[in-house]
Amino acid sequence: MFLLVLAVAVAAVAAGIFFVLSRPTARRPGEALPDITDNLARDVAAGAPEPLLVDITGEVGLGDFRTFVGPRTSQLPEDMGPGAAWGDFDNDGDDDLFLVSAGGSLDRPSGEWAPSRLYENRGDGTFRPFEAFPEVRISGMAAAWGDADGDGWLDLVVTGYRSLLLFHNEAGRAFVPAAGFPGFDASDGYWAGATWGDFDNDRDLDLYVCGYVQYREVDGIASRAGSRSSSQYGAAVPFTLNPASFEPERNLLLRNDGAGHFEDVAPLYGVSNPEGRSLGARWHDLDDDGRLDLYVANDISDNALFLNRGDTFEDAGLAARVADYRGAMGIAVGDWNRDGDDDLFVTHWVAQENALYDSRLRDTDGDRLTFSDVSARLGLGAIALPFVGWGTEFLDFDADGRLDLVVANGSTFEDDGEPPRLEPQAPHLFWNRDGEFFDDLAPRNPTLAENHVGRGLAVTDFDQDGDTDLLLVHLGEGVQLLRNDMPQGHWLQLALASRNAAGQHHGRGEGSTVVVRAGGVAYRRTVGASSYLSQSSAVLHIGLGAVDRIDTAEVHWLGGAVENFGPLAVDAAWELREGEGEGRRRSASAAPPDKEQIVAFWQAQRAAMDAIKRDRDIPRAIALLRRALELDPGHQDSRYYLANCLAAQGEAQEALAELDRLRRQNPASQRAHRQWAVLRARSAASPAHLTAALAAAERAVEINQEETGSLLLLAELALLTGDAPRAEEVLTLVNRTNPRAVGGFFLRAYLAHRRGDEAAAIELLRAAHAARGPEWKPEGTVAEGDVEARMHRDMSPLADSWRAWDGTVDPTDPGTAFVELERALARYAGLE
């Protein structure tokens, strides 16, 4: 009888009908349901591992972050967020962390709210605030990393109540607010989950943003006394906390034009979901046709499954049996039973059970995508009834080869305090028992047994020790970073590098699936982990248990191409680059080489240097350096010389990629930043390329502020980007630091000539001639194929023009010295 009454209550809530239930149904969130005993009372299996997750929040530098300040005023935007996002914004090989704050009381000025913060992973197990991120004080919800403009650096979208913000990543050194999203006023919406994905397979990332409700603030709601209220399961709830009190907000599908400019095409493709109060969404190719589908979690309205048919989307939620009418929040996707297709896990509101939708795609030979909810028999259903579930993720936390589950819980009901607080709940940590049952291990860990108002959740291997760590976001408190200290089976980590529209390996493989085959088992993982308001790492972690060798890693790149890599060593991290067919060992987790490997490396490396310096055989040097890097991916000299050789052969994009790789490997490598800037500028095809080169030069100067070559490069790039005053300031510093810097005097002479100061121009040209010495002869313009010159000399963008000057100074017309320079400047000015 109790279940029948409860079911009626759920249906009534879903329909927007609110009434006080009879006294026997009145209860508090988190309170046990005595009528339901089977799954709740089931003992944890004897073979279950100990959940050794250790709270290290304070010691790593995250303890001061706050998700909310001030007393609640019982309004919906104060209670729904926030989340967090892991992503490597500085390309140094480890995941950094953006934490969203829900701000504070809506009756307070936003300047008093807690700010959202970006934390840089220092690579030593600690974090520090990244001060070059703009101050963001909003009623925040979600964050998601994605390379919006395809330049190889992760940009960031942040959502919230009346906020939808895009921040452009300036080569890992700073973030600037982007122009925004044209066509609508983001400040008049309530934006929740956001997820990046290339839905049209044009090699750039599009963005789907969930609209929640059309909320309107109400004054005087700080206390329940005198406020209009409704009843949910016997508890009085202000109408301002009930999503059914407000009309749903539409969702946005922001199509990328390839340059980071967006247009909302959701109505055109039929995915605006105007009747859904959407909280989360996830791009995923659920039917394995090479196109990203979209699953949307809605609150008190049908969830939506939009299957991508190329020119439109098919609303298939009902046909696929996943359009349930419950309060849905978090989404996780993974092949929990290793049957070759991906399944859906969805968290729900109190008394509604969570759902594990098992895909039947393989059972029907791919003819029709349907799912079956198997949560009840696996221990995931009834156990969730007392809880409100939010963030969730599949992960193999003990690397036994089976995907486990974690769920963040936290009530939406208020306590009896004044002002009222939300009631806390403990999370769930479900261990996958051989694909037969999920045991909740959280009560066996004192930290996980604690109650918090959980919301966001995201996972990564933040310390790069080969296991997956867990971050929980607690509303009204801060965050909790739990380091994974559990015994691990064998494992593999895979970072994908997909090509953008220009053919560069700037993508993270978003939407691509890897099937690792080992020991007769297929382990399936997909890049694109967005859960409730949060984003997990793009690096795939595959637990292998006792398997110590894999046969192949089969990558299904988004769009349909399949590429095999392997065999790959286990207990190691690898990068798989689209089109290469051979994995590259990531140095952060690489095993130490054996003696034979060391000998082979030095043989290849020394032979490569002989090919460069003695034989002038650049193609052979390239092949040898590639071989050396296969044996020792962390050898910086080999990567640097490989980049120079590639540049000498005219392979600018490949050279840039290698230098970018070196910059990620060693962010303090001045030569890597300098040479990347030189090559990016000399091969520039747009003003954006010059801007990126300028940022890299600034980084090189920051590392060593007295190195003349980097200062001169910075000055040239300032001149090329239209900042003549800055160029002159830096050039003056160049000559003060190095009185023999010919380029500094020559370019200062040009600037003096340009402003009409011919006397100064003549004096500076004579200083340039004197700095070069009496034996100076013009070198001539370096030809594109002049390998030797390019290999042994840094060629800055404008160096050809002053090196080709014959040294003569015409007192009547000093401008004759600048003919080649003005031609070069005109060439760069014509970039579009």
Side-chain angles (χ1 to χ4, degrees), residues 491-496 539-540 550 567-577 582-587 589-590 630 633 661:
W491 54 272
L492 195 69
Q493 287 186 353
L494 302 176
L496 303 191
V539 177
L540 302 177
I550 74 160
L568 304 175
V570 302
D571 300 334
W574 294 85
E575 183 181 54
L576 309 183
R577 295 162 68 89
E582 189 169 342
R584 299 186 179 193
R585 197 82 166 261
R586 299 183 84 201
S587 59
S589 298
E630 289 174 1
R661 195 173 176 82

Side-chain angles (χ1 to χ4, degrees), residues 338-635:
R338 303 194 310 208
D339 65 349
D341 47 34
D342 286 329
D343 313 298
L344 286 166
F345 181 77
V346 182
T347 59
H348 290 121
W349 198 51
V350 67
Q352 295 181 351
E353 297 192 350
N354 295 333
L356 175 56
Y357 294 111
D358 186 46
S359 174
R360 303 304 187 193
L361 185 66
R362 291 293 174 265
D363 301 335
T364 59
D365 295 324
D367 291 338
R368 188 165 64 96
L369 179 64
T370 61
F371 295 84
S372 176
D373 187 356
V374 295
S375 58
R377 68 176 177 84
L378 294 172
L380 298 171
I383 195 172
L385 283 171
F387 296 88
V388 180
W390 302 87
T392 184
E393 198 65 83
F394 280 111
L395 72 162
D396 187 355
F397 52 69
D398 58 349
D400 68 348
R402 295 280 187 180
L403 282 177
D404 311 301
L405 262 173
V406 61
V407 180
N409 296 312
S411 181
T412 56
F413 286 92
E414 298 176 328
D415 63 17
D416 297 324
E418 193 61 50
R421 298 174 180 269
L422 295 174
E423 296 197 353
Q425 297 179 325
H428 286 130
L429 186 69
F430 293 112
W431 175 62
N432 185 339
R433 190 199 305 173
D434 296 325
E436 298 176 354
F437 196 81
F438 284 87
D439 294 294
D440 182 20
L441 306 185
R444 301 170 64 174
N445 181 306
T447 298
L448 290 172
E450 295 174 355
N451 291 331
H452 300 276
V453 182
R455 289 296 186 264
L457 179 154
V459 300
T460 187
D461 180 9
F462 85 94
D463 51 4
Q464 296 188 305
D465 62 351
D467 52 33
T468 304
D469 309 297
L470 171 63
L471 181 90
L472 297 164
V473 184
H474 303 315
L475 178 59
E477 300 178 53
V479 299
Q480 199 172 30
L481 180 60
L482 303 178
R483 186 185 64 214
N484 188 347
D485 287 350
M486 299 177 66
Q488 300 286 305
H490 292 296
W491 54 272
L492 195 69
Q493 287 186 353
L494 302 176
L496 303 191
S498 52
R499 295 185 185 273
N500 61 10
Q504 301 159 309
H505 285 105
H506 284 176
R508 273 72 176 174
E510 291 90 347
S512 300
T513 295
V514 177
V515 180
V516 171
R517 303 186 188 279
V521 176
Y523 305 86
R524 180 184 173 100
R525 303 288 186 273
T526 300
V527 181
S530 57
S531 183
Y532 183 73
L533 310 182
S534 302
Q535 183 181 48
S536 294
S537 177
V539 177
L540 302 177
H541 177 272
I542 299 101
L544 298 168
V547 175
D548 60 2
R549 181 182 181 277
I550 74 160
D551 303 316
T552 183
E554 181 181 281
V555 181
H556 297 248
W557 298 105
L558 185 63
V562 179
E563 190 173 9
N564 286 302
F565 296 79
L568 304 175
V570 302
D571 300 334
W574 294 85
E575 183 181 54
L576 309 183
R577 295 162 68 89
E578 185 176 7
E580 291 192 354
E582 189 169 342
R584 299 186 179 193
R585 197 82 166 261
R586 299 183 84 201
S587 59
S589 298
D594 56 28
K595 183 177 180 179
E596 290 183 3
Q597 186 174 339
I598 294 172
V599 171
F601 162 77
W602 283 111
Q603 288 175 341
Q605 204 271 349
R606 287 165 182 160
M609 300 311 295
D610 286 342
I612 293 170
K613 298 177 180 179
R614 185 188 64 198
D615 305 328
R616 306 292 191 261
D617 189 345
I618 303 305
R620 182 168 181 268
I622 290 173
L624 287 165
L625 288 168
R626 290 196 187 280
R627 173 58 180 157
L629 286 167
E630 289 174 1
L631 295 164
D632 183 1
H635 197 265

Side-chain angles (χ1 to χ4, degrees), residues 712 714-720 722-732 735 743-762 764-765 798 814-815 818 821-822 825:
L712 184 57
L714 177 60
E716 290 188 14
L717 288 165
L719 182 59
L720 289 174
D723 193 348
R726 186 186 187 192
E728 185 146 23
E729 178 185 356
V730 177
L731 289 168
T732 302
N735 288 134
F745 289 118
F746 184 82
L747 293 175
R748 287 171 65 197
Y750 170 73
L751 291 171
H753 165 69
R754 199 166 76 170
R755 64 175 179 267
D757 191 347
E758 303 295 9
I762 291 170
L764 287 164
L765 282 173
L798 301 176
F818 307 121
L821 175 59
E822 289 186 328
L825 291 171

Side-chain angles (χ1 to χ4, degrees), residues 181-210:
F181 304 104
F184 63 93
D185 183 7
S187 67
D188 194 33
Y190 187 174
W191 310 109
T195 182
W196 296 93
D198 181 13
F199 82 91
D200 49 4
N201 286 353
D202 62 353
R203 297 281 176 164
D204 56 42
L205 289 180
D206 311 294
L207 180 65
Y208 192 79
V209 180
C210 296

